[in-house]
Each structure stands twice: as C-alpha cells, then as structure tokens.
C-alpha cells in the first residue's frame, strides 16, 4: 500500500508553495509525509515542483522517496502521473494533496482497508467529496492517461465506480487555499 503526496504546486492563491507552509511547528510537506508513513504506507512518494530546492533545504522528508515533476506548472495532473510512475509496483496507492492538514491516520485507514488492485475510493466529508483518494493498480494506467491540468484523477473517478467513504467523524478534509483557511490543529 503506497502513499503519494502531491506537493508540487506554486500555491498561487495562497501566495507561496503550500509545501513550505508552517502549521503547528512543522511544514505542510513534512506533516503530510509523516501522516502517510504513520498510516503504514510504503513506499511514500512525495512529488515536488515549485521551489523544489527550497523544499528540500527546509523540509525533513524523512523515510520518503522524493521525485521532481518538471511539468508542475501544467497542474496537478502531471504531478499525479509523475507520482504514480514513481510508486512502481503496488496493489494500491492512497493519494493526498499537501494542502489538507486536517486529514488523519484514521481517515487514511478507512480508505486503506479497501485497498486492492480493482479499488477506487475517495473520502467524503458530510457528503462533500474530498481527499484522500484510493486508486487500485488496475486503474493506474487509466488515471495517468486521463490526468490533465489541475483536474488530477477527477474525470477518471467521475467515469468509474467509486466508493465514497465518510470520514467527517475522524478528519477535516478542507483544503487550505488561502492563509485565512489555516487553523491550528488541536492535540
């Protein structure tokens, strides 16, 4: 069960790359990578793009495989393709964007419990579609061929049979798009 952290964006609405955003004493990229590792994902692949050298200099990125997306400016789709290629052989991968600090190990475990090559699942929060997303290996090629722009796997997931997994009781799936969206986490 692999983990894939998408951390390549420039964070235009935020004003800086979100991988470098500090929250509760840690950078988003480190917190998210640690979360995937704590959930038991192996390998954990982190895709960098914007400010990749700065992220490498400031982040710990311990126990993960870091890959660069040279086409990061084209959007999340290219980062998803880069990451899936780097994951290699795995029955499934759980995909997490770097800007969802409210996701928890419990939410990851709910999706990971469904992991198998045919699986397609995504977290929902009170019925609202969110992250993480679970993609079984049978779907890797299809996701890579459809991932374009900032849509990531959205079109592929829309066309397939995707299991929705309610996670609002164990996590907050809100994206942090602007500094005003930041909330310190409790505990």
């Amino acid at each position: 069960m692999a983990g894939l952290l998408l951390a390549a964006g420039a964070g235009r609405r935020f004003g800086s790359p979100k991988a470098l955003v500090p929250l509760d004493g840690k950078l988003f990229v480190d917190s998210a990578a640690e979360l995937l590792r704590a959930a038991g994902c192996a390998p954990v692949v982190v895709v960098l793009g914007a400010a990749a050298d700065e992220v490498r200099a400031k982040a710990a990125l311990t126990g993960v495989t870091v890959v660069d997306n040279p086409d990061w400016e084209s959007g999340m789709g290219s980062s998803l393709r880069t990451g899936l290629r780097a994951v290699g052989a795995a029955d499934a991968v759980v995909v997490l964007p770097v800007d969802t600090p409210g996701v928890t190990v419990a939410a990851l475990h709910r999706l990971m419990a469904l992991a198998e090559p045919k699986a397609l699942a995504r977290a929902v929060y009170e019925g609202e579609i969110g992250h993480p997303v679970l993609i079984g290996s049978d779907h890797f090629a299809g996701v890579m061929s459809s991932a374009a722009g900032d849509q990531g796997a959205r079109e592929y997931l829309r066309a397939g049979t995707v299991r929705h997994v309610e996670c609002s009781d164990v996590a907050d799936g809100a994206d942090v798009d602007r500094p005003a969206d930041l909330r310190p986490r409790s505990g």
Side-chain angles (χ1 to χ4, degrees), residues 15-130:
S16 65
K18 290 186 251 180
L20 292 166
V21 172
L23 181 64
D24 299 332
K26 286 189 180 176
L27 297 179
F28 269 17
V29 70
D30 284 326
S31 294
E34 288 173 15
L35 180 73
L36 289 167
R37 289 182 61 225
C41 295
V44 172
V45 174
V46 179
V47 181
L48 299 180
D53 291 340
E54 185 178 357
V55 173
R56 278 188 175 85
K58 292 182 176 180
L61 297 171
T62 305
V64 301
T65 300
V66 179
V67 296
D68 287 322
N69 174 10
D71 299 320
W72 65 269
E73 289 182 272
S74 69
M76 187 189 309
S78 65
S79 291
L80 183 56
R81 289 190 307 272
T82 298
L84 286 174
R85 281 192 293 272
V87 162
D91 285 342
V93 62
V94 64
V95 181
L96 185 67
V98 76
D99 64 350
T100 53
V103 171
T104 62
V105 167
L108 289 169
H109 281 169
R110 284 193 182 166
L111 272 81
M112 292 168 68
L114 306 173
E116 54 129 357
K118 293 180 181 355
L120 275 179
R122 69 183 319 158
V124 295
Y125 299 88
E126 296 179 1
E128 293 292 318
I129 291 171

Side-chain angles (χ1 to χ4, degrees), residues 1-4 6 76-77 79-81 83-84 87-96 108 111-112 114-123 130-147 151-157 161-163:
M1 178 77 228
L4 176 53
L6 303 178
M76 187 189 309
S79 291
L80 183 56
R81 289 190 307 272
L84 286 174
V87 162
D91 285 342
V93 62
V94 64
V95 181
L96 185 67
L108 289 169
L111 272 81
M112 292 168 68
L114 306 173
E116 54 129 357
K118 293 180 181 355
L120 275 179
R122 69 183 319 158
H131 287 92
V133 173
L134 176 76
I135 302 170
S137 59
D138 288 358
H139 301 282
F140 288 5
V143 166
M144 285 192 283
S145 68
S146 70
Q151 299 302 304
R154 187 175 301 154
E155 290 304 314
Y156 186 87
L157 294 171
T161 303
V162 179
R163 183 162 176 188

